[in-house]
Amino acid sequence: MKKRKTEEEAAEHLAESLEQALKWFQGDASDVTVHTFTIEVPDVAKLRRKLKLTQADFALKIGVPVATLRNWEQGRRYPTGPARVLLNVLARRPDLVMEAIEASQPVEAAE
């Protein structure tokens, strides 16, 4: 079992990390390890069609304006950040994501 770092050790580690970040920002990457991750962009139109949803319904479910969805589908823009992650998870596990989305949406009152 790992020992918990003391506050002093944690402060030293943080200071060292900040010094490395500053060096990297200033263009000196000699003592810096940089980790980068690429998250692929799925074919949004193909994904939407696979789910048998209209643009309006798909946009509503994932929480983006229809115009944004159209821009993604037509290649004028690309999803970034959380939207890109959501679309990737949706492409891999549509059942899980759709279940979570539907569980989080309010149920309409019966008339």
Side-chain angles (χ1 to χ4, degrees):
M1 185 155 63
K2 273 187 170 181
K3 277 187 177 181
R4 289 186 72 145
K5 289 185 177 182
T6 65
E7 287 183 20
E8 186 176 312
E9 289 172 325
E12 287 174 14
H13 181 73
L14 180 59
E16 181 182 322
S17 296
L18 290 172
E19 286 173 16
Q20 287 179 4
L22 180 60
K23 283 182 181 181
W24 180 78
F25 183 74
Q26 293 171 338
D28 177 7
S30 61
D31 191 31
V32 178
T33 302
V34 177
H35 301 277
T36 58
F37 301 92
T38 302
I39 299 173
E40 298 298 320
V41 179
D43 183 328
V44 179
K46 184 177 176 181
L47 176 58
R48 178 182 58 78
R49 287 190 301 268
K50 179 181 171 184
L51 296 170
K52 297 180 170 83
L53 293 171
T54 64
Q55 286 181 332
D57 288 340
F58 188 66
L60 181 65
K61 288 201 180 290
I62 65 170
V64 299
V66 176
T68 298
L69 179 65
R70 287 184 182 134
N71 283 330
W72 292 345
E73 289 190 1
Q74 295 169 8
R76 288 191 298 260
R77 299 248 177 189
Y78 297 95
T80 60
R84 183 178 250 174
V85 173
L86 174 61
L87 291 168
N88 271 285
V89 176
L90 191 53
R92 287 169 178 73
R93 294 292 308 272
D95 53 330
L96 180 70
V97 176
M98 293 308 287
E99 181 183 323
I101 288 171
E102 288 165 11
S104 69
Q105 293 178 342
V107 179
E108 291 185 27
E111 291 184 29

